[in-house]
Amino acid sequence: MTSTQRPSPAKTRIASRIVATALVTGLAGLAGLTGLAGQSVAAPTASAASPTPATASAKESPRTALRKDVDAITRTGSVGVIAQSSGPRGHYSAAAGVADTTTRERARVGDRFRIGSATKTFVSTVMLQLVGEGRVSLDDTVDHWLPGVVSGNGNDGRHITVRQLLQHTSGLYDYTADFPEMTTANGFQADRYTTWTPEQLVAIATRHKPNFAPGTNWAYANTNYVLAGLIIEKATGHSWQQEVTRRIIHPLGLRNTLAPTTQSRIPGPHLRGYSNFYGTGETMDVTDLNPSAAGAAGAMVSTPGDLSRFYSALLGGRLLRPAQLSEMKTTVRAEGLDAVWPGARYGLGLQEVPLSCGGSYYTHGGDIPGFSTRSGASADGRRVVVVATTGDTAPDQSTEKAKNALVDRALCASGGK
């Protein structure tokens, strides 16, 4: 399908669900369903696409607007919804639904949740810190750091760079497309407590041929960030979890943010996640999960408040030197994300999405079974909004539209870009 062709309603519904899950599972099946694989990499330019305008009443307070948007997400079928909007004019939060369907305990804004692929921004930040310190180069090859790890079936780590991993232009197959634990009810039940090594996850990917030659196209693949985590470990002598904790979590005081290794339970007050894995089984509680299945591509746990602080510090220049922050924000067109974010672009672990009021915001969505995270931050980090939901995304895209409307409305109301 070219950029001028319109997908059928059925394909659009499927694409919406799969792209959302792709933020941690990165399903290569998206290519077959929507024809969006192998998109050419474009030079970074401003996108003309914009989401549907989300304009609040001039007399409506930001707190009331956020409350209404949270309720709108709940009406699409989400079990629990929590959101926070922060900016120079104040901080507002709202919650709806329940944190636990058994106890009926209400969802609270301070509850922890699995952030899925929002983890990638943390991992990319650490890698770019290492670049700024002269310990890693974005032009280093994978084979330079991990000799022989990416090889066979046309895969060759000698021709893939660190930049291409962080940007999803490596062409590597996404291991989760061959990973039932993330995509089927039976697969999840069988392996939810299994410990996976990063090498095992990469080996799943290299059983398959690459999708395209490195640097020639764009396609989301979690394999890229599993490899990035391994390179961080090789360069520092510490796991990516230890480096994220030492370099980001502790300095920013993110007391409710965790980078777990194999701990299956979420400690402290938290939302519980629920999924039927696209109808492959009955809806089940999927909260407990050995996070090694996602690793550096999506294992972390956080809260709206902590994520807001992280994005504010990152885009405000407190975590990266100007040159590395500029690299992170230099984006290419990512048409494979259009089903969820029309006009999306992708940098180094950071998405850029058009605003209805003009300009754009930075983000990284995150989806892992039972949990979904959406966020938005202005280019200077002064305005940030985060929303987390539990339960499956509605197949008619209503959940995605409602979440995106919340982010868009909150940022536009506070001054847009």
Side-chain angles (χ1 to χ4, degrees):
M1 183 181 71
T2 67
S3 60
T4 58
Q5 292 173 311
R6 297 179 64 85
S8 68
K11 285 187 177 180
T12 299
R13 288 192 296 269
I14 294 171
S16 173
R17 299 181 74 184
I18 293 182
V19 171
T21 303
L23 291 167
V24 76
T25 62
L27 295 178
L30 176 65
L33 289 167
T34 68
L36 293 174
Q39 298 296 339
S40 297
V41 174
T45 58
S47 171
S50 301
T52 302
T55 305
S57 167
K59 296 182 179 180
E60 193 170 68
S61 71
R63 191 183 306 277
T64 299
L66 187 67
R67 172 81 254 176
K68 286 184 176 180
D69 285 338
V70 163
D71 288 340
I73 296 171
T74 306
R75 288 194 295 272
T76 71
S78 294
V79 176
V81 184
I82 56 178
Q84 179 173 307
S85 178
S86 306
R89 298 179 183 178
H91 304 272
Y92 309 96
S93 60
V98 298
D100 186 322
T101 59
T102 300
T103 65
R104 307 306 298 176
E105 183 178 0
R106 304 293 297 177
R108 298 175 297 182
V109 175
D111 286 342
R112 288 173 171 162
F113 52 89
R114 298 194 186 279
I115 69 172
S117 281
T119 299
K120 291 181 173 67
T121 311
F122 286 82
V123 172
S124 182
T125 299
V126 169
M127 186 72 82
L128 287 167
Q129 287 180 344
L130 294 174
V131 170
E133 295 163 10
R135 300 170 69 178
V136 176
S137 168
L138 289 173
D139 296 321
D140 285 344
T141 65
V142 171
D143 214 58
H144 171 79
W145 289 102
L146 308 170
V149 172
V150 176
S151 61
N153 296 312
N155 299 285
D156 192 341
R158 295 174 300 175
H159 303 298
I160 299 171
T161 66
V162 172
R163 183 192 307 276
Q164 289 163 350
L165 294 180
L166 299 181
Q167 193 180 59
H168 293 300
T169 54
S170 71
L172 289 171
Y173 182 89
D174 193 323
Y175 78 90
T176 54
D178 190 10
F179 200 57
E181 179 178 346
M182 291 289 185
T183 56
T184 69
N186 287 340
F188 181 85
Q189 288 286 51
D191 279 322
R192 67 189 298 176
Y193 299 115
T194 298
T195 295
W196 300 87
T197 67
E199 292 82 0
Q200 286 176 313
L201 302 180
V202 173
I204 293 172
T206 56
R207 290 200 299 248
H208 302 265
K209 294 180 180 180
N211 294 317
F212 49 78
T216 62
N217 293 325
W218 186 93
Y220 196 92
N222 290 287
T223 310
N224 293 321
Y225 276 76
V226 173
L227 286 164
L230 282 171
I231 291 173
I232 289 171
E233 182 171 359
K234 194 69 177 288
T236 65
H238 305 111
S239 69
W240 71 266
Q241 292 97 331
Q242 290 172 312
E243 290 297 313
V244 164
T245 301
R246 182 175 73 86
R247 291 169 174 266
I248 301 174
I249 294 175
H250 285 169
L252 295 183
L254 307 182
R255 295 180 178 83
N256 291 303
T257 299
L258 309 170
T261 53
T262 59
Q263 182 182 11
S264 298
R265 295 189 175 185
I266 302 175
H270 60 273
L271 300 176
R272 301 198 68 82
Y274 303 90
S275 181
N276 65 17
F277 292 87
Y278 311 109
T280 63
E282 296 296 322
T283 297
M284 68 180 84
D285 186 325
V286 296
T287 310
D288 293 350
L289 168 70
N290 186 320
S292 64
M300 290 180 66
V301 171
S302 192
T303 62
D306 275 9
L307 284 180
S308 295
R309 183 177 296 184
F310 167 64
Y311 282 115
S312 179
L314 173 63
L315 293 164
R318 292 170 53 196
L319 293 175
L320 293 175
R321 298 177 182 180
Q324 281 69 58
L325 183 57
S326 178
E327 290 276 13
M328 177 178 262
K329 293 167 70 174
T330 299
T331 61
V332 298
R333 187 70 172 90
E335 293 183 28
L337 299 178
D338 277 350
V340 177
W341 296 278
R345 303 178 64 82
Y346 201 95
L348 304 185
L350 201 63
Q351 295 167 227
E352 184 178 8
V353 179
L355 278 167
S356 66
C357 55
S360 61
Y361 65 89
Y362 291 96
T363 182
H364 202 300
D367 293 84
I368 195 164
F371 298 88
S372 178
T373 305
R374 298 290 180 266
S375 60
S378 60
D380 60 5
R382 297 183 68 201
R383 294 171 292 277
V384 183
V385 58
V386 177
V387 57
T389 63
T390 58
D392 290 328
T393 296
D396 64 356
Q397 288 190 288
S398 59
T399 307
E400 288 300 334
K401 290 178 180 177
K403 288 185 290 188
N404 289 345
L406 182 152
V407 173
D408 187 79
R409 194 184 332 270
L411 290 175
C412 283
S414 62
K417 66 178 181 179

